[in-house]
Amino acid sequence: MTARGLSVYWVLFIWRFILGIGIGGDYPVSAIITSEFATTKNRGAMITAVFAMQGFGIVAAAIVAIVVLACFKGAVDGDQLMLDYVWRIIMGLGVVPGLVALYFRLTIPETPRYTLDVEKNTQRAAADVHKTLGHKVADESVERVCVADKPTWTEFYHHFKHWRNLRVLVGTTVTWFALDVAFYGINLNSSIILQAIGFAGKGSPYKVLLKTAAGNIILNLLGTMPGYWVTVFTIDKLGRRTIQFIGFTVLLVLFCILGFGYHKILDKSVAGFVVLFTLAQFFQNFGPNTTTFIIPAEAFPTRFRSTCHGISAACGKVGAVVAQLGFFQLKDRGGKNAFIPQLIQIFALFMLVGLVFTWFVPETKGKSLEELSEGENARE
C-alpha cells in the first residue's frame, strides 16, 4: 500500500509559517522595548547589542550541527539515509532557545511610554518608571503627559498621507527589503557558495557537511560577529544613517568585485575570495543589517512605532523570499552553480537601491524619542 500525506516540504512550510508569525511579532517587540527603555545617550548601542545576539545564535547553530553530525558519524558513514535523523534533531533542538525566549517575552513588562501613550494606565506607567529608573513619578505629572488618543488605522492613514511622514516609512521598508535580498540570498546559501568555490571540498557527505558547517563558523567569527560589535561601540558616535551609508557603499563595491571578478579571483586564490566574502559579511552587519533594525525602532511616534517596525521587517522578509526563490531558480543556469557570479552582481544592484533610499531615513542619533515624535507630529 502507498501511504498518503503531506510531504516533508509542506510540513516544514506550515510550521515555518507559524514560526514566522511568532518571529514577526518578536522582531518589533524586542527592538521597541529596548528603544523605549534605553537612555538617549546609549540607545543605539543597546538596540544593537540585542540584535547582535543573532550572531551568537548563528554560530551556535553551526556548532550544534557539528556536534550532532559527530554523534552520527559512524551511522552516516554506514548509511547516508541516517542524515535524515541529523537534520531533524538539529531542527528540533531549536525549541530550546525558543522556550527561553518565550519565557522572557511573557514576563517582561510593557514600556512606560506605551503604557502612557496607548493604554492610558497612568498608575502602572508610574510604577514601571519607578521600577526601571529607581525614582517615583507623581501620578499628576504622568496624567499631564497622557494626552494622545489611542491609535487607530484612520489616524495611521492621516499621519502617513503626508509625504514628509510617508517618506520615512518608504525609506525604512525599501532599505530593509534591498538589504535582505542580498543578506538572505548569501547567508542562507553560504553552504552552496562554499561548495561552489571549493572550500567544502569533496568526499563523503559527512565530510562535506562537517567542513561546510566549520566554514560557516569561520565566516561568522571573522566577519559577522565583529561587524555586530563594532557597530555596538560606534553607532552612538557615528550615527545610524552614516553607518548605513558606509555599509551599502562598501557592499556595492565588494559585490561588484566578487560578481564581475568571480572566476578570475578564484583562479588566483580561493583564500582571497574568502577574505572578500568575509569583508562583505562584516559590512553587512557594520552597516544596513543592523541599522535597518534600529532606525524603525526610533524614527516613528510611540503610537505607530511597533506597527511601522513590523511593516519594515515584513518588507525585509519579502526580500528574503525573493532572494531564495531567485537564487534556486537561477543559480544553475548554464550548469551547476554557473549563475552565482551574476546573482552576486544582482545583489550589488540591490545595494545601490538601498544606498539611494537611505536618503529617505532621518538621523536619530542624539535625539530623544519624544523629540523624534514631536518632529513627526509637527509635519502633519
Side-chain angles (χ1 to χ4, degrees):
M1 293 181 66
T2 301
R4 296 188 178 185
L6 292 175
S7 70
V8 68
Y9 296 106
W10 275 107
V11 173
L12 286 174
F13 173 82
I14 292 169
W15 285 109
R16 296 289 288 185
F17 178 81
I18 296 171
L19 174 66
I21 295 173
I23 298 298
D26 196 70
Y27 241 66
V29 168
S30 58
I32 302 307
I33 286 178
T34 308
S35 172
E36 295 186 355
F37 268 122
T39 63
T40 301
K41 182 179 179 181
N42 64 3
R43 187 177 63 232
M46 285 190 65
I47 302 174
T48 308
V50 169
F51 192 60
M53 295 300 107
Q54 188 179 75
F56 289 110
I58 293 170
V59 173
I63 292 172
V64 167
I66 289 175
V67 171
V68 176
L69 266 171
C71 292
F72 278 79
K73 182 181 185 304
V76 171
D77 286 340
D79 183 3
Q80 294 181 17
L81 291 178
M82 295 301 292
L83 286 171
D84 191 56
Y85 290 97
V86 173
W87 75 260
R88 290 175 189 272
I89 291 171
I90 292 171
M91 288 198 69
L93 289 172
V95 76
V96 177
L99 288 173
V100 174
L102 179 62
Y103 168 77
F104 285 109
R105 186 59 64 229
L106 292 174
T107 55
I108 196 169
E110 283 287 2
T111 66
R113 282 185 174 91
Y114 181 87
T115 307
L116 268 176
D117 198 14
V118 179
E119 292 187 348
K120 301 297 194 299
N121 191 331
T122 57
Q123 290 183 342
R124 199 177 85 188
D128 288 343
V129 169
H130 174 60
K131 181 179 179 181
T132 305
L133 302 180
H135 60 77
K136 290 186 178 182
V137 178
D139 287 347
E140 294 79 8
S141 63
V142 176
E143 287 279 5
R144 286 194 294 271
V145 176
C146 186
V147 294
D149 295 328
K150 193 166 185 177
T152 64
W153 285 109
T154 301
E155 186 184 7
F156 183 91
Y157 165 76
H158 284 297
H159 181 80
F160 286 103
K161 72 179 181 181
H162 302 282
W163 171 242
R164 286 175 296 181
N165 296 331
L166 180 62
R167 73 190 297 270
V168 179
L169 184 58
V170 170
T172 60
T173 54
V174 175
T175 53
W176 206 332
F177 170 83
L179 177 276
D180 275 4
V181 170
F183 182 81
Y184 284 98
I186 285 178
N187 285 277
L188 291 183
N189 301 289
S190 57
S191 60
I192 295 173
I193 294 173
L194 287 170
Q195 291 176 33
I197 66 177
F199 183 86
K202 296 180 179 179
S204 67
Y206 172 82
K207 289 182 178 179
V208 171
L209 290 171
L210 193 68
K211 200 167 183 181
T212 300
N216 278 309
I217 292 175
I218 293 169
L219 288 175
N220 283 289
L221 288 178
L222 294 180
T224 302
M225 296 280 282
Y228 280 129
W229 290 100
V230 169
T231 308
V232 170
F233 293 112
T234 61
I235 193 163
D236 287 312
K237 297 180 178 67
L238 296 178
R240 291 73 160 142
R241 203 162 176 250
T242 300
I243 290 176
Q244 187 157 304
F245 271 124
I246 292 171
F248 273 129
T249 302
V250 176
L251 287 169
L252 172 60
V253 173
L254 286 173
F255 286 149
C256 283
I257 294 172
L258 288 169
F260 290 101
Y262 184 87
H263 295 293
K264 291 181 180 179
I265 297 170
L266 284 178
D267 288 343
K268 289 191 175 182
S269 174
V270 172
F273 187 96
V274 172
V275 168
L276 291 171
F277 191 76
T278 302
L279 280 174
Q281 298 278 346
F282 176 86
F283 281 101
Q284 281 182 331
N285 295 292
F286 177 61
N289 187 43
T290 301
T291 54
T292 54
F293 180 80
I294 294 171
I295 293 171
E298 302 176 313
F300 301 102
T302 303
R303 59 193 184 279
F304 304 134
R305 193 170 292 129
S306 292
T307 301
C308 291
H309 195 286
I311 291 170
S312 302
C315 287
K317 298 307 161 275
V318 171
V321 172
V322 169
Q324 281 301 91
L325 290 175
F327 199 100
F328 278 101
Q329 289 291 326
L330 298 173
K331 73 181 183 70
D332 292 327
R333 287 188 64 180
K336 184 175 176 59
N337 296 327
F339 204 74
I340 287 180
Q342 289 80 2
L343 285 171
I344 297 175
Q345 294 167 24
I346 293 171
F347 295 156
L349 178 62
F350 278 98
M351 295 303 94
L352 179 60
V353 172
L355 181 62
V356 171
F357 277 87
T358 296
W359 289 102
F360 284 37
V361 301
E363 178 54 73
T364 57
K365 180 190 74 171
K367 297 179 182 178
S368 70
L369 296 180
E370 286 71 27
E371 288 178 285
L372 292 165
S373 294
E374 287 169 6
E376 287 284 307
N377 293 331
R379 296 172 188 161
E380 296 184 16

